[in-house]
């Protein structure tokens, strides 16, 4: 960490949070600071109750050094993963461990008023179950299925669903939440969760979320790539043949041939009515042959649309998540086989096509992680801990 220039407490917290350095000796060797400077910064973090001493590490001989960890119980984070037709909520501690969660068949189509009314009620109920209140909430992380300006939390415009254009997420939460907000696209929170906790060995990955729609997130150099206006990773509307009109108004997009919506439409033609992507997976698990063929065809279409992005970005991994991915190999294998067959010789070398690991919780874990990052952002922590008497309870911004 020779490039660290700031001498604020925030950089100390970064090293402790990431586990890169948790003792005085390791922090000094990473930061190159004097013992006195480090002691001052640690005191700021301890006084603000942002970190606590975790006691003595006994991994070395002699008197073991004192270790520091994030004070995970100094507040709560609310996490929200809004999907096309299904949404999940969770309350986590400050290191993103899920304490309580809930879900419902409510999604984008219901519009922002209904979804945030529902989430506020459920969060209040869950807070009461934990014996806590809105005053204990330090951060709120939200994933939405569309491009977002993550700096302002404003959903970009135009949106396929006009009710969501220009929505500012924090405006839908009551004023007595004095919390930090972080908002990102649903597939990006999935990508954050999968990259940090599922597949940390892959710093360059294309992450897919296949449900009733198709989402795609890009992890480049270990960070989610958003693009100029938050719209990076729009794989769903790449041309894939066919003559069906897409929700976006164009014809023959990937979404029209490979999404859960497309599979459901084909199933309806053959007399099997399914409503959600979970229904499709259940039908597949029951051994329905028609679904297996449709999942294979969808997987191959997705693989074809990945050939160019894989050549362009040279990722190490394609991570396949979302509800349809829970169908397992019947969906994953066709993607893997076809992509490794058709990708350019260079781009397919050492490329792995792997399933998402965190299952249904990936989104809410990712939402909690992005708001944890915002809450503990280094410059912000350095500034706030310099102010006398600051504690995490003063860190909300609403
Ligand atoms: Zn389209």
């Amino acid at each position: 960490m020779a490039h660290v220039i700031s001498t604020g407490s925030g950089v100390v917290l970064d090293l402790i949070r990431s586990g890169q350095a948790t003792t005085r000796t390791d922090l000094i060797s990473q930061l190159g600071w004097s013992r006195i400077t480090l002691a001052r910064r640690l005191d700021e973090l301890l006084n603000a109750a942002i970190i606590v001493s975790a006691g003595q590490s006994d991994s070395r001989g002699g008197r073991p050094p004192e270790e520091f960890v994030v004070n995970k119980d100094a507040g709560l984070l609310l996490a929200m993963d809004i999907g096309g037709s299904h949404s999940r909520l969770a309350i986590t501690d400050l290191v993103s461990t899920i304490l309580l969660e809930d879900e419902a068949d409510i999604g984008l189509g219901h519009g922002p008023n209904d979804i945030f009314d529902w989430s506020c009620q459920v969060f209040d109920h869950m807070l009461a179950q934990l014996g806590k209140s809105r005053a204990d909430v330090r951060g709120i992380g939200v994933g939405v299925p569309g491009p977002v300006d993550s700096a302002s939390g404003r959903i970009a415009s135009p949106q396929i669903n006009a009710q969501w254009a220009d929505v500012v997420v924090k405006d839908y939460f009551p004023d007595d939440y004095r919390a930090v907000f972080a908002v990102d696209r649903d597939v990006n929170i999935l990508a954050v969760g999968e990259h940090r906790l599922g597949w940390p060995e892959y710093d360059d990955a294309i992450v897919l979320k296949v449900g009733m729609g198709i989402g795609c997130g890009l992890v480049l150099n270990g960070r989610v790539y958003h693009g100029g206006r938050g719209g990076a990773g729009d794989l769903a509307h790449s041309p894939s043949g066919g003559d069906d009109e897409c929700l976006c108004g164009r014809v023959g997009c990937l979404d029209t041939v490979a999404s859960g919506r497309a599979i459901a439409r084909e199933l309806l033609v053959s007399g099997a009515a399914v409503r959600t992507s979970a229904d499709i997976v259940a039908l597949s698990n029951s051994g329905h042959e028609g679904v297996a063929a449709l999942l294979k065809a969808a997987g191959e279409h997705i693989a074809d649309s990945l050939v160019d992005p894989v050549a362009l970005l040279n990722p190490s991994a394609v991570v396949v998540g979302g509800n349809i991915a829970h169908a397992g190999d019947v969906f994953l294998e066709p993607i893997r086989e076809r992509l490794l067959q058709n990708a350019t010789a260079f781009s397919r070398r050492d490329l792995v096509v792997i399933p998402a690991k965190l299952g249904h919780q990936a989104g809410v874990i990712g939402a909690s992680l992005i708001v944890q990052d915002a809450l503990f952002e280094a410059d912000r922590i350095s500034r706030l801990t310099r102010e006398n008497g600051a504690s995490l309870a003063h860190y909300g911004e609403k």
Side-chain angles (χ1 to χ4, degrees):
M1 296 288 282
H3 62 281
V4 171
I5 295 166
S6 166
T7 54
S9 63
V11 296
V12 179
L13 181 62
D14 266 354
L15 291 170
I16 293 170
R17 281 178 68 211
S18 67
Q20 285 175 275
T22 56
T23 64
R24 285 173 206 272
T25 308
D26 289 348
L27 286 163
I28 285 171
S29 88
Q30 290 267 340
L31 293 162
W33 294 356
S34 71
R35 287 197 84 83
I36 292 171
T37 304
L38 178 69
R40 204 172 287 146
R41 298 297 169 250
L42 283 171
D43 279 346
E44 287 172 0
L45 293 169
L46 287 162
N47 290 340
I50 295 171
I51 60 168
V52 289
S53 169
Q56 316 273 295
S57 161
D58 54 6
S59 60
R60 302 164 204 198
R63 184 167 169 268
E66 184 180 21
E67 279 200 307
F68 300 97
V69 295
V70 169
N71 183 7
K72 66 183 173 57
D73 300 320
L76 297 168
L77 303 175
L78 306 186
M80 188 169 178
D81 178 14
I82 302 171
S85 56
H86 193 86
S87 300
R88 303 181 76 91
L89 306 177
I91 295 185
T92 77
D93 62 17
L94 295 186
V95 295
S96 300
T97 309
I98 292 179
L99 304 175
L100 275 178
E101 57 186 321
D102 202 352
E103 62 184 307
D105 282 331
I106 181 169
L108 191 75
H110 292 82
N113 285 323
D114 283 3
I115 287 189
F116 292 116
D117 281 354
W118 165 73
S119 69
C120 283
Q121 278 179 29
V122 176
F123 280 136
D124 281 345
H125 181 69
M126 291 200 292
L127 285 168
Q129 272 182 280
L130 293 168
K132 304 284 184 182
S133 72
R134 290 176 183 175
D136 296 300
V137 174
R138 305 287 170 255
I140 300 175
V142 181
V144 294
V148 179
D149 172 9
S150 38
S152 66
R154 181 185 292 276
I155 296 175
S157 181
Q159 288 280 323
I160 286 175
N161 184 322
Q163 295 181 89
W164 287 86
D166 290 324
V167 160
V168 177
V169 168
K170 78 162 104 173
D171 293 348
Y172 286 81
F173 283 83
D175 284 338
D176 50 349
Y177 276 120
R178 289 191 22 90
V180 173
F181 280 78
V183 185
D184 207 341
R185 194 175 189 147
D186 62 344
V187 68
N188 287 345
I189 60 170
L190 173 88
V192 168
E194 286 294 329
H195 173 250
R196 293 237 204 122
L197 304 180
W199 300 98
E201 62 270 48
Y202 298 114
D203 266 347
D204 297 279
I206 293 179
V207 180
L208 299 178
K209 180 182 181 186
V210 188
M212 291 309 271
I214 296 173
C216 172
L218 305 173
V219 177
L220 305 177
N221 289 330
R223 301 176 70 90
V224 168
Y225 178 74
H226 291 93
R229 291 181 49 242
D234 195 1
L235 191 74
H237 304 285
S238 62
S240 295
D243 44 18
D244 288 313
E245 190 175 329
C246 181
L247 291 173
C248 74
R250 303 191 310 168
V251 170
C253 295
L254 179 66
D255 197 85
T256 66
V257 292
S259 63
R261 259 190 301 272
I263 293 171
R265 194 188 56 228
E266 291 299 318
L267 284 170
L268 193 61
V269 172
S270 66
V274 293
R275 202 172 52 84
T276 65
S277 40
D279 294 342
I280 294 171
V281 172
L283 207 55
S284 168
N285 290 341
S286 75
H288 189 285
E289 277 187 23
V291 179
L294 290 168
L295 286 168
K296 179 169 186 283
E300 289 176 350
H301 277 299
I302 289 170
D304 289 346
S305 71
L306 284 170
V307 167
D308 287 343
V310 158
L312 196 66
L313 300 172
N314 186 212
S316 311
V318 171
V319 179
V320 185
N323 279 341
I324 297 286
H326 294 133
D329 281 345
V330 63
F331 181 61
L332 190 68
E333 264 312 313
I335 301 179
R336 180 184 289 136
E337 207 170 289
R338 179 93 152 204
L339 181 58
L340 295 181
Q341 191 180 359
N342 291 349
T344 63
F346 187 90
S347 67
R348 69 175 177 239
R349 185 161 176 188
D350 299 331
L351 175 69
V352 295
V353 178
I354 46 185
K357 270 189 186 171
L358 305 185
H360 296 295
Q361 292 183 328
V364 285
I365 291 173
S368 174
L369 288 169
I370 62 166
V371 75
Q372 192 199 124
D373 288 347
L375 182 70
F376 292 135
E377 193 271 321
D379 286 346
R380 183 183 144 75
I381 290 295
S382 299
R383 189 178 72 245
L384 289 166
T385 54
R386 274 198 299 269
E387 295 162 10
N388 276 338
S391 81
L392 273 179
H394 299 108
Y395 290 179
E397 280 181 341
K398 175 128 184 170

